[in-house]
Amino acid sequence: MQKKYFLNWPRETQFLASEALSTSEELLQELAIAEVANGVLGVAIQSSTIPGFEHFLRSLNPVQHPDDEFLKDFWEMEFKCSPGSTRKASLPPCSGAESLVEMEHPFTDTSKLRVAHNVYLAVYAAAHALHSLLSCPGQDSPPGKSNCSSPNHIRPIDVLQHLNRVNFSTPRGETFYFQGSDMTARYDLVNWQKTPNGPLKLVLVGRVDGFDLILNESAIQWSTGLNQVPVSVCSESCPPGTRKANRKGKALCCFDCIPCADGEISNTSGSLQCDRCPPEFWSNDGRTACVPRQLDFLSFNETLGVALTAVAVSGAVVTTAVFVVFLHYRHTPMVRANNSELSFLLLLSLKLCFLCSLVFIGRPSVWSCRFQQAAFGISFVLCVSCILVKTLVVLAVFRSAQPDCKATMKWFGPSQQRGSVGLFTSIQIVICGTWLSVSPPKPERDLGFQGSKVTLECGMASVAVVWSFRRREVGRTASSMSQLSRIFTLIVGFGGRELGLGGVLQVVQALTCSQWSTPTEQGLFQDGDVVVGGLFNLHYTPPDTADNFTQQSHYKACTGLENLPLQYIYAMVFAVEEINHSAALLPGVKLGYHIRDSCALHPWTTQAGAGTGRGRQCQL
């Protein structure tokens, strides 16, 4: 998988590798990727050595350890023979002359131990925590009433508390302690470089020790084959007013510069996003700064304002002309028969209605907002009242021709007509006066419209009241939808309650067990007063289907031995034996180990981890 990944990238790509990738011996020895992967820069666990560990590894022999299944697998893989009495039919028996003493192999190479050294430190840290827990330093207990723990009564929480406080020196003199719950950050910075023979080699170019970074830049060989830091410019930096948009399927340095949308700006080069302007501001033409939005209102200079002014003035002039004609001929029978008093009031109200429309044009102010609504409302009511009274009078006149309806005309005399018009108009005046005193309109900026201009208009409190009712209805609808969703959830919950937690677990367990087979019981065991558990990916499990990402892979057996994890296992064994032979650390207490193989599969890891420390029969 990693090989395909490297080969699909162009040769000028500069890779930054994680710990697992940067120390992969398999990739370093792969000639096919030497040209592409040259110059890889990565981090790795700090390398170190363990005194006496190489001699321990080279002295291993399955004849001396007949119960060590891991060592038997390694012997069969390297020497192509089967040690011991029980052997594979496909392999010949070993002669006994096989040895690791003179063998050059990654398993016996202890010059740069990384993970194995961490395993070694982990065992020592656990041993020092147990030593502190069992010896109880600093406690003054009466004779026979010691509060110290015994190897048979150790609680995990007590071990964890003492583990957080460990501070010791390794046999090489290295100080080890925890910072909070983490180890001190110590890493090597490594570089993949070409060799004359073809394969790549791992070169140490720096290290990280806590917060200190030490880097030898001159020792780095980049992907270009030079010591000069490469410059990767797939796309030029985006100028202000634009933002970066990564190209799909391309490297991060390849992007397009997208102009900011209206109302958004970016005032720096290479901006990842555009920032929206405040409500009262808008972006300039270059989308680099927010400028105040221009006030917009219906002015007399605009075409619509000129047209409305012309219509209003024309209507007022025509109404005035008719009023003058009526006034000149007020004593004629025609004018008198037309109820001249109401006619004059009607013409006056019409003229005021035409002129009130002019107040709506121009920049709104506090007094114009208050005057325009009240003046137009009163003028309109006066006009409608005059029309209404004139209509009633006409109807009353026609009905008075009937013998039984002559008395109705006394209710439609001149005083009653003037009183009706005054009453209706007074009601409107009271309504407008109350409205202006309680919640008068005032100039407001309508920021809802997205643009470079903001509308200045008279804000009506009555509109806010109407919309408050509408919002209340929307809220009821949303609440109803919420209730429906809750009812649906309850139905689903009650409908599925018969399955129960046990049923769910059985279904999940059945699905899991139908896919994964049971791991082997291979392991490395040694009994002791306190047993330290270990779980390693010693064997890998190749799938029986190709990795074409179109179907699920199935795993049949745990095969294929990894050299470095085997080294990690024996680093743990070496540390345990070294501690058991120490007179200063855990005197009188024997450490044991239960080491199992997870085969790099999560279900097997869980099962093997659950069985660690419970004997050889692993029960989930």
Side-chain angles (χ1 to χ4, degrees):
M1 181 70 67
Q2 294 169 342
K3 178 180 176 182
K4 295 179 181 179
Y5 178 80
F6 275 109
L7 294 178
N8 289 334
W9 281 84
R11 294 191 176 185
E12 65 271 11
T13 303
Q14 176 63 49
F15 290 96
L16 298 178
S18 63
E19 191 279 330
L21 182 64
S22 60
T23 58
S24 174
E25 291 292 337
E26 179 183 356
L27 292 178
L28 288 172
Q29 300 301 322
E30 184 64 49
L31 297 177
I33 67 170
E35 293 294 331
V36 180
N38 176 48
V40 170
L41 190 65
V43 295
I45 297 174
Q46 187 178 37
S47 61
S48 184
T49 58
I50 301 176
F53 184 48
E54 182 179 2
H55 179 267
F56 173 78
L57 291 178
R58 293 188 180 278
S59 63
L60 292 175
N61 196 300
V63 177
Q64 301 171 0
H65 304 83
D67 296 331
D68 193 337
E69 298 294 335
F70 297 152
L71 191 57
K72 287 182 180 179
D73 291 345
F74 177 75
W75 223 256
E76 292 173 354
M77 182 182 68
E78 294 300 328
F79 296 105
K80 308 301 180 184
C81 65
S82 181
S85 56
T86 59
R87 62 184 183 86
K88 293 183 179 180
S90 58
L91 295 176
C94 293
S95 63
E98 296 82 7
S99 174
L100 300 177
V101 175
E102 302 294 336
M103 185 178 182
E104 295 297 330
H105 193 272
F107 173 65
T108 58
D109 183 10
T110 61
S111 59
K112 293 182 180 180
L113 299 176
R114 301 186 187 277
V115 180
H117 184 254
N118 277 0
V119 173
Y120 178 80
L121 292 178
V123 176
Y124 262 91
H128 278 274
L130 290 171
H131 182 84
S132 174
L133 176 63
L134 297 177
S135 60
C136 295
Q139 290 189 3
D140 297 329
S141 301
K145 295 183 179 181
S146 175
N147 294 326
C148 299
S149 302
S150 65
N152 297 327
H153 300 86
I154 295 178
R155 298 185 305 169
I157 186 64
D158 296 332
V159 177
L160 180 61
Q161 292 175 356
H162 286 267
L163 191 62
N164 289 330
R165 297 193 295 265
V166 296
N167 191 331
F168 62 92
S169 296
T170 64
R172 285 192 65 224
E174 299 173 337
T175 303
F176 180 86
Y177 59 92
F178 288 103
Q179 290 180 336
S181 58
D182 297 322
M183 294 172 56
T184 304
R186 293 189 178 95
Y187 295 97
D188 287 342
L189 301 179
V190 295
N191 183 220
W192 290 8
Q193 298 183 5
K194 288 182 179 180
T195 61
N197 299 329
L200 298 171
K201 65 177 179 178
L202 202 64
V203 178
L204 182 67
V205 296
R207 67 176 185 272
V208 177
D209 192 353
F211 294 99
D212 298 329
L213 173 63
I214 302 174
L215 182 63
N216 184 9
E217 296 186 17
S218 60
I220 300 177
Q221 185 180 92
W222 302 95
S223 59
T224 57
L226 305 175
N227 297 104
Q228 185 178 2
V229 179
V231 178
S232 177
V233 181
C234 177
S235 301
E236 295 292 338
S237 180
C238 292
T242 61
R243 64 175 178 85
K244 294 168 59 175
N246 293 331
R247 296 176 185 173
K248 187 176 182 180
K250 299 292 184 179
L252 293 178
C253 59
C254 298
F255 50 83
D256 295 322
C257 297
I258 307 299
C260 293
D262 293 339
E264 297 181 349
I265 65 165
S266 65
N267 52 11
T268 58
S269 300
S271 179
L272 296 177
Q273 62 182 6
C274 298
D275 300 323
R276 180 165 291 278
C277 293
E280 295 187 359
F281 292 82
W282 199 252
S283 57
N284 59 0
D285 294 337
R287 308 291 193 270
T288 57
C290 292
V291 295
R293 297 170 68 175
Q294 299 178 1
L295 293 179
D296 185 27
F297 54 86
L298 183 61
S299 65
F300 290 98
N301 299 326
E302 298 181 11
T303 303
L304 181 59
V306 172
L308 293 178
T309 302
V311 172
V313 172
S314 300
V317 169
V318 172
T319 305
T320 303
V322 174
F323 183 87
V324 171
V325 172
F326 266 63
L327 184 62
H328 184 267
Y329 295 100
R330 65 183 180 278
H331 298 295
T332 60
M334 183 180 293
V335 175
R336 294 172 63 87
N338 201 28
N339 199 341
S340 59
E341 187 175 351
L342 287 181
S343 298
F344 287 134
L345 284 176
L346 178 59
L347 291 172
L348 179 62
S349 62
L350 284 174
K351 181 179 179 179
L352 292 176
C353 287
F354 279 115
L355 294 178
C356 284
S357 61
L358 298 177
V359 187
F360 289 87
I361 306 174
R363 179 166 181 163
S365 61
V366 176
W367 290 107
S368 64
C369 289
R370 296 182 180 182
F371 178 76
Q372 61 184 209
Q373 296 291 337
F376 180 78
I378 294 172
S379 301
F380 185 76
V381 169
L382 178 61
C383 178
V384 173
S385 300
C386 293
I387 296 174
L388 177 62
V389 171
K390 286 174 67 68
T391 304
L392 292 176
V393 169
V394 173
L395 291 176
V397 170
F398 281 102
R399 290 179 63 88
S400 64
Q402 298 178 6
D404 55 345
C405 297
K406 293 182 178 181
T408 58
M409 283 302 298
K410 66 179 181 179
W411 298 103
F412 294 95
S415 59
Q416 285 81 6
Q417 296 175 19
R418 291 191 294 268
S420 299
V421 173
L423 176 63
F424 295 147
T425 307
S426 299
I427 294 175
Q428 180 63 21
I429 293 174
V430 172
I431 293 175
C432 291
T434 305
W435 173 49
L436 293 176
S437 60
V438 174
S439 57
K442 56 183 178 180
E444 292 181 354
R445 298 183 179 185
D446 185 9
L447 302 176
F449 177 74
Q450 299 295 324
S452 60
K453 296 182 179 181
V454 56
T455 304
L456 185 63
E457 59 184 11
C458 295
M460 304 300 169
S462 59
V463 176
V465 173
V466 170
W467 277 105
S468 67
F469 284 108
R470 291 188 180 272
R471 284 197 297 268
R472 189 174 301 168
E473 294 298 326
V474 173
R476 290 173 182 169
T477 304
S479 178
S480 301
M481 295 299 294
S482 177
Q483 294 297 333
L484 288 176
S485 65
R486 291 175 184 175
I487 294 173
F488 178 75
T489 304
L490 290 175
I491 292 175
V492 173
F494 280 105
R497 71 185 189 275
E498 294 183 359
L499 180 61
L501 179 61
V504 174
L505 291 178
Q506 288 178 4
V507 171
V508 174
Q509 197 173 34
L511 292 175
T512 304
C513 293
S514 64
Q515 180 179 355
W516 305 99
S517 57
T518 304
T520 60
E521 295 298 332
Q522 275 192 344
L524 194 58
F525 307 96
Q526 176 177 294
D527 294 332
D529 300 324
V530 179
V531 176
V532 180
L535 192 61
F536 298 91
N537 299 332
L538 179 59
H539 293 84
Y540 63 90
T541 307
D544 60 354
T545 56
D547 287 331
N548 52 13
F549 304 102
T550 59
Q551 57 184 334
Q552 185 175 4
S553 301
H554 297 278
Y555 298 88
K556 291 183 178 180
C558 185
T559 59
L561 190 68
E562 295 280 0
N563 293 319
L564 289 181
L566 184 63
Q567 189 184 67
Y568 309 156
I569 290 176
Y570 287 106
M572 180 176 176
V573 174
F574 177 74
V576 170
E577 292 187 0
E578 199 173 54
I579 293 170
N580 286 336
H581 289 87
S582 173
L585 188 60
L586 289 176
V589 177
K590 180 183 179 183
L591 280 185
Y593 49 80
H594 280 195
I595 303 174
R596 293 182 180 272
D597 181 15
S598 67
C599 286
L601 294 175
H602 295 299
W604 291 9
T605 301
T606 304
Q607 185 166 348
T612 300
R614 299 184 183 177
R616 300 197 180 190
Q617 296 298 326
C618 174
Q619 300 292 335
L620 181 59

